[in-house]
């Protein structure tokens, strides 16, 4: 039982084939509603450009690389509208941008998940600054991104910074992926608390570790590559990944009907309720 007293969602095991199928379904959703998808993708890319401009104004443009690497962490939050587009298409309704935004605003638990996402993004950026201070010097400052990359790639301290930073970043990305890959779609789809949603998301990763970690690596790689040309590639990449995540959620979390307790007849006794078990998919 969840902390809200409701039955926990049933989590099913998935395979790489399920991810490939979900990707195809996500691509079809994007083709069916391209303008909505491009709108959310453009919003995500514009956020990256705005942060980059702020770094330039503050003479901290050397943080552009870790920013691009960490920007993938807030992708699940921005993709909320894309999940709703896929959900509306499942119900046979035409997606409306205003209806999507209005519905998201009514889901209070999504605010807590957004806080978790943004908090880990801030942690990522602060640990980058901490590593720069510890390994490259407290007063380290770089006039350009090229100078920063040169120091990182040509000095022992820079190589250590690169290795440790990437390891820490990979760890944070895996933690956030485990917390959000199912939780955001689940909170949008059902009336559950955000703690139950995070626990369900972690259960999904633990039950199918190799496919899920492989999918996480794919997301980070695609978003990082898309962010290289001034975040412009994110305009298309984000909606496709967002729609795919929704369909993957549908394959991972069993429908509500499968979570209802079953009544088992017992001879000479009242019927006994049997709670649903964690389901598996072959």
């Amino acid at each position: 039982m969840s902390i809200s007293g409701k039955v926990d969602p049933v989590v099913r095991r998935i395979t790489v084939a399920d991810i490939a199928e979900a990707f195809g379904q996500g691509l079809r959703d994007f083709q069916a509603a391209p303008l909505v998808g491009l709108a959310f993708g453009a919003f995500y890319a514009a956020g990256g450009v705005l942060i980059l401009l702020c770094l330039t104004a503050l003479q901290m443009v050397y943080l552009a690389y870790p920013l691009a690497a960490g920007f993938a962490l807030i992708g699940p939050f921005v993709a909320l509208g894309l999940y709703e587009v896929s959900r509306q298409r499942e119900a046979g309704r035409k997606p409306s941008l205003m209806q999507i935004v209005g519905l998201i605003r009514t889901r209070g638990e999504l605010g807590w998940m957004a806080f978790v996402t943004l908090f880990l993004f801030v942690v990522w950026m602060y640990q980058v600054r901490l590593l720069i201070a510890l390994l490259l010097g407290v007063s380290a400052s770089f006039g350009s991104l090229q100078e920063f990359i040169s120091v990182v790639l040509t000095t022992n301290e820079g190589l250590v910074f690169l290795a440790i930073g990437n390891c820490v970043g990979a760890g944070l990305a895996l933690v956030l992926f485990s917390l959000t890959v199912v939780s955001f779609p689940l909170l949008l789809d059902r009336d559950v608390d955000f703690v139950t949603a995070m626990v369900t998301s972690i259960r999904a990763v633990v039950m199918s570790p190799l496919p899920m970690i492989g999918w996480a690596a794919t997301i980070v790689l695609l978003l990082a590559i898309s962010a290289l040309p001034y975040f412009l590639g994110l305009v298309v990449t984000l909606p496709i990944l967002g729609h795919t995540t929704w369909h993957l959620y549908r394959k991972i979390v069993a429908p509500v009907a499968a979570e209802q307790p079953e009544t088992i007849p017992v001879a000479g006794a009242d019927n006994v309720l049997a709670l649903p078990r964690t389901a598996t998919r072959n």
Side-chain angles (χ1 to χ4, degrees):
M1 300 292 287
S2 66
I3 62 174
S4 60
K6 301 177 182 178
V7 177
D8 287 330
V10 174
V11 175
R12 301 183 290 198
R13 184 175 288 109
I14 64 165
T15 65
V16 174
D18 291 316
I19 296 178
E21 183 180 354
F23 186 83
Q25 293 172 320
L27 185 59
R28 288 191 291 272
D29 279 354
F30 175 62
Q31 292 171 336
L35 294 181
V36 177
L38 291 174
F40 279 98
F43 175 77
Y44 188 47
V49 172
L50 179 61
I51 296 176
L52 184 60
L53 291 176
C54 291
L55 292 178
T56 302
L58 296 173
Q59 297 184 345
M60 299 171 65
V61 70
Y62 55 90
L63 291 178
Y65 166 71
L67 168 67
F71 203 56
L73 298 178
I74 62 175
F77 170 52
V78 181
L80 272 171
L82 300 167
Y83 306 152
E84 180 59 19
V85 170
S86 294
R87 193 169 80 112
Q88 289 191 13
R89 290 197 68 244
E90 284 180 355
R93 296 190 294 266
K94 185 178 180 180
S96 167
L97 187 59
M98 295 304 297
Q99 290 178 352
I100 292 170
V101 174
L103 179 63
I104 292 174
R105 292 177 61 184
T106 65
R107 297 290 199 268
E109 294 291 322
L110 287 172
W112 289 106
M113 281 306 307
F115 172 78
V116 172
T117 301
L118 295 176
F119 174 76
L120 287 180
F121 177 70
V122 172
V123 169
W124 160 251
M125 295 305 296
Y126 267 101
Q127 69 86 23
V128 170
R129 287 293 300 159
L130 178 61
L131 288 177
I132 289 177
L134 291 176
L135 299 175
L136 303 182
V138 176
S139 59
S141 180
F142 307 92
S144 66
L145 179 60
Q146 291 76 11
E147 181 182 347
F148 173 72
I149 294 176
S150 176
V151 171
V152 168
L153 296 180
T154 60
T155 65
N156 292 334
E157 295 83 358
L159 292 175
V160 172
F161 164 80
L162 190 63
I164 296 177
N166 285 335
C167 288
V168 174
L172 282 175
L174 181 58
V175 169
L176 190 58
F177 173 82
S178 300
L179 292 173
T180 62
V181 64
V182 166
S183 57
F184 273 116
L186 180 59
L187 287 171
L188 188 65
D189 189 40
R190 305 190 192 179
D191 182 20
V192 298
D193 58 89
F194 82 100
V195 175
T196 298
M198 289 192 294
V199 171
T200 302
S201 189
I202 294 173
R203 287 167 54 208
V205 175
V206 171
M207 180 168 288
S208 308
L210 293 181
M212 295 299 284
I213 293 176
W215 174 237
T218 301
I219 291 175
V220 172
L221 180 61
L222 289 177
L223 290 180
I225 293 175
S226 300
L228 291 179
Y230 298 99
F231 300 96
L232 294 179
L234 298 174
V235 175
V236 174
T237 302
L238 179 75
I240 295 176
L241 293 178
H243 292 310
T244 300
T245 299
W246 172 263
H247 290 288
L248 193 59
Y249 154 74
R250 284 300 199 202
K251 296 179 182 299
I252 293 172
V253 179
V256 176
E259 299 168 6
Q260 300 303 319
E262 300 176 356
T263 302
I264 301 177
V266 179
D270 294 333
N271 288 342
V272 178
L273 291 179
L275 294 178
R277 297 180 179 179
T278 300
T280 61
R281 298 181 83 248
N282 294 324

